[in-house]
Amino acid sequence: MEERRPQIVDAVVPARNESPTVAAVVSACRGCRYVREVIVVDDGSSDGTAELAAAAGAKVIYREGEGSKALAMEAGVNASDADALLFADADLLGITSRHLDDICRPFMEGRATMSFGIFDYGIWNWLVLRFPPTSGERIIPRWVFEAVPPEKRQGYLIEIFINEVITEGRMPITARVMRGVTHRTKRIKFGRVEGYGRSWRMLRDLWKLWGVCRKRTYWFFLRDVTFER
Ligand SMILES: Nc1nc2c(ncn2[C@@H]2O[C@H](COP(=O)(O)OP(=O)(O)OP(=O)(O)O)[C@@H](O)[C@H]2O)c(=O)[nH]1
Ligand SMILES: [Mg+2]
């Protein structure tokens, strides 16, 4: 039988002004049994995010110029030669290495090409799991990220286009709830007015996808996803 080469996984964490949480996220990633290196990509933080990430053991990449979440992810992927990337947002609350082990396991065992976690919404989890994932916590092979065309590597829509590569290729997906995990919302980070404004702009960008993203990817997603407990 052909022996499978062990997959090398690096964690990529996009972070802009996430000083309250970035160190805990880096620690959780470092403790994940499958992760080799943790790469935090910062562009323009003014609150010591980069220093806190480095002190927690991450390699920090500084991006120049106009930033976005997707461009930060891209810079992280370019800074790594790993076979697979575990992405995690830097604003998570309650994240542990165990959550990340659980996300990575189906991928490492060859049961999923993409495995992702969702926040714990309690009684609403069953519903949230049936939406195409926009979650930042997911593991994918490097080639999947590279297959997203450069013009689609935009701000908050990157996750949708990663989904598109996976679903169009009819590849297996696993999903699981990250028990006890949430994040600092935009309202907490920026205050009510600015926070709602930013959330609104993000939703508007998602809505614009209606004409861009193939509808069938949703059905493919539902067909190819396995919910893990
Ligand atoms: N380096 C970098 N990171 C970013 C940028 N924009 C967002 N991020 C990071 O990407 C992650 C997700 O961004 P959030 O703004 O929390 O987005 P979200 O969680 O999808 O949105 P909410 O549900 O409204 O909080 C966080 O770790 C951010 O710090 C950016 O321009 N540059
Ligand atoms: Mg967030």
Side-chain angles (χ1 to χ4, degrees), residues 72-222:
M73 288 164 69
E74 183 179 61
V77 174
N78 290 342
S80 159
D81 64 356
D83 310 303
L85 289 314
L86 170 67
F87 294 102
D89 287 351
D91 60 352
L92 301 176
L93 296 167
I95 189 78
T96 65
S97 305
R98 195 147 164 222
H99 291 113
L100 298 173
D101 286 349
D102 288 344
I103 291 175
C104 292
R105 194 174 306 108
F107 176 89
M108 299 305 289
E109 291 176 356
R111 288 185 281 119
T113 309
M114 173 170 77
S115 174
F116 68 94
I118 68 148
F119 296 151
D120 193 347
Y121 292 101
I123 58 166
W124 297 108
N125 286 341
W126 67 273
L127 184 61
V128 179
L129 276 167
R130 277 155 187 84
F131 280 92
T134 54
S135 160
E137 291 64 53
R138 59 176 77 200
I139 184 168
I140 51 171
R142 160 182 213 96
W143 70 262
V144 168
F145 190 89
E146 290 174 348
V148 177
E151 70 277 10
K152 289 186 171 179
R153 296 183 194 172
Q154 312 168 24
Y156 289 101
L157 308 181
I158 180 73
E159 273 91 13
I160 303 290
F161 293 122
I162 291 173
N163 296 347
E164 195 174 53
V165 172
I166 296 277
T167 52
E168 287 293 319
R170 322 236 166 139
M171 287 173 274
I173 303 165
T174 53
R176 68 158 54 231
V177 173
M178 301 181 286
R179 296 276 168 216
V181 178
T182 57
H183 67 160
R184 294 180 73 240
T185 61
K186 289 188 167 50
R187 257 103 55 217
I188 297 173
K189 291 185 206 170
F190 302 105
R192 258 162 74 116
V193 176
E194 167 83 13
Y196 278 119
R198 283 178 183 247
S199 293
W200 167 249
R201 287 195 288 279
M202 188 170 76
L203 286 175
R204 193 194 51 194
D205 287 350
L206 278 170
W207 181 249
K208 280 194 216 149
L209 280 177
W210 190 250
V212 181
C213 196
R214 286 186 155 161
K215 316 282 178 301
R216 68 182 197 183
T217 59
Y218 178 59
W219 308 112
F220 289 174
F221 165 70
L222 283 184

Side-chain angles (χ1 to χ4, degrees), residues 44-63:
S45 289
S46 54
D47 66 348
T49 291
E51 293 74 14
L52 288 162
K59 170 174 163 181
V60 179
I61 305 287
Y62 298 89
R63 268 197 77 257

Side-chain angles (χ1 to χ4, degrees), residues 19-34:
S19 60
T21 45
V22 70
V25 172
V26 169
S27 299
C29 290
R30 288 190 72 206
C32 174
R33 57 185 293 202
Y34 304 108

